[in-house]
């Protein structure tokens, strides 16, 4: 596939997410509207496409689970508000699912470009499947990019928000596939003395000095 080599501006984890102010299906939205809440900002390549429809119905199904953990959903594609409205109505008619989260109509591609959602190897004119998890202070905490061909797992995005919230609240890490209630990982010991203390402490379950877990 022919495409010109242009540098894609990428946001970075643990830095402020790019500011935006954009038209959506629920009026103009800005990043600052989400202050005090977690935000999952996600792009899809195009309205009226099958994989995107499966993702939207899954996001809608899990929206109450996101809201229960103080997390809002915000979609985006390079389509108009009219197209979004027509697609949302079509999803309700054909799949019986109401889409209640706003969707950015990013016809100028300003938001998509600032979040590095346009990957010319996929398309110059549509966004890849990008997902950004932004904390209540507007700091980007996680991001994932998928190609057009692979639909995302919405439960995995929900799980990642829960894992980030737990890590930030308790100063810990979470292992592969972690779910709330599972043990968490204690960050590596910073000294030989601390490593020794952990190995002999009831607070931690250590397999070895570098691999200690605990309950939170
Ligand atoms: C889809 O969501 O099914 C899709 C999106 C863009 C290109 C092809 C398929």
């Amino acid at each position: 596939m022919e495409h010109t080599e242009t540098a894609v501006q990428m946001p970075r984890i643990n830095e402020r997410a790019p500011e935006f102010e954009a038209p959506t299906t629920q009026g103009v939205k800005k990043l600052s509207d989400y202050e005090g809440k977690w935000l999952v900002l996600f792009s899809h390549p195009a309205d009226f496409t099958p994989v995107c429809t499966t993702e939207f119905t899954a996001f809608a199904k899990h929206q109450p689970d996101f809201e229960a953990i103080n997390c809002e959903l915000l979609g985006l594609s390079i389509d108009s508000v009219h197209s979004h409205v027509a697609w949302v109505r079509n999803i309700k008619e054909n799949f019986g699912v109401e889409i209640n989260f706003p969707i950015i109509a990013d016809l100028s591609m300003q938001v998509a470009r600032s979040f590095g959602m346009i990957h010319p190897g996929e398309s110059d004119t549509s966004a890849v499947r990008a997902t950004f998890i932004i904390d209540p202070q507007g700091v980007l905490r996680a991001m994932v990019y998928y190609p057009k061909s692979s639909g995302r797992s919405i439960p995995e995005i929900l799980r990642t928000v829960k894992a980030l919230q737990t890590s930030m609240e308790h100063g810990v890490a979470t292992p592969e596939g972690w779910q709330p209630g599972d043990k968490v990982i204690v960050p590596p010991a910073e000294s030989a003395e601390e490593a020794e203390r952990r190995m002999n402490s009831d607070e931690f379950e250590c397999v070895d000095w570098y691999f200690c877990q605990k309950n939170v």
Side-chain angles (χ1 to χ4, degrees), residues 25 43-57 76-95 99 103 126 129 148:
T25 46
S43 57
H44 65 278
D47 296 349
F48 293 99
T49 50
V51 177
C52 302
T53 301
T54 63
E55 292 184 329
F56 261 54
T57 55
L76 177 150
S77 76
I78 317 302
D79 289 293
S80 66
V81 168
H82 287 171
S83 169
H84 288 337
V85 168
W87 184 37
V88 162
R89 290 173 66 88
N90 186 277
I91 290 175
K92 188 172 174 199
E93 263 171 43
N94 285 314
F95 298 91
I99 305 300
I103 311 162
S126 64
R129 298 183 198 283
K148 276 189 286 210

Side-chain angles (χ1 to χ4, degrees), residues 157-177:
I157 297 170
L158 179 64
R159 190 193 74 81
T160 307
V161 179
K162 292 177 180 173
L164 285 163
Q165 291 178 339
T166 299
S167 291
M168 286 172 66
E169 186 181 344
H170 298 282
V172 294
T174 53
E176 184 279 328

Side-chain angles (χ1 to χ4, degrees), residues 132-181:
F132 303 90
I133 303 178
I134 300 169
D135 80 7
Q137 284 73 46
V139 176
L140 179 61
R141 294 298 179 185
M143 59 182 183
V144 188
Y145 295 88
Y146 277 33
K148 276 189 286 210
S149 56
S150 304
R152 289 158 285 195
S153 163
I154 309 318
E156 172 59 11
I157 297 170
L158 179 64
R159 190 193 74 81
T160 307
V161 179
K162 292 177 180 173
L164 285 163
Q165 291 178 339
T166 299
S167 291
M168 286 172 66
E169 186 181 344
H170 298 282
V172 294
T174 53
E176 184 279 328
W178 176 89
Q179 294 287 347

Side-chain angles (χ1 to χ4, degrees), residues 30 32 91:
K30 312 190 281 290
S32 58
I91 290 175

Side-chain angles (χ1 to χ4, degrees), residues 183 185 198-199 204-214:
K183 290 185 174 50
I185 301 222
R198 286 185 185 184
M199 289 302 287
F204 307 113
E205 276 178 30
C206 295
V207 178
D208 207 335
W209 65 272
Y210 72 92
F211 193 112
C212 296
Q213 293 180 290
K214 69 173 186 177

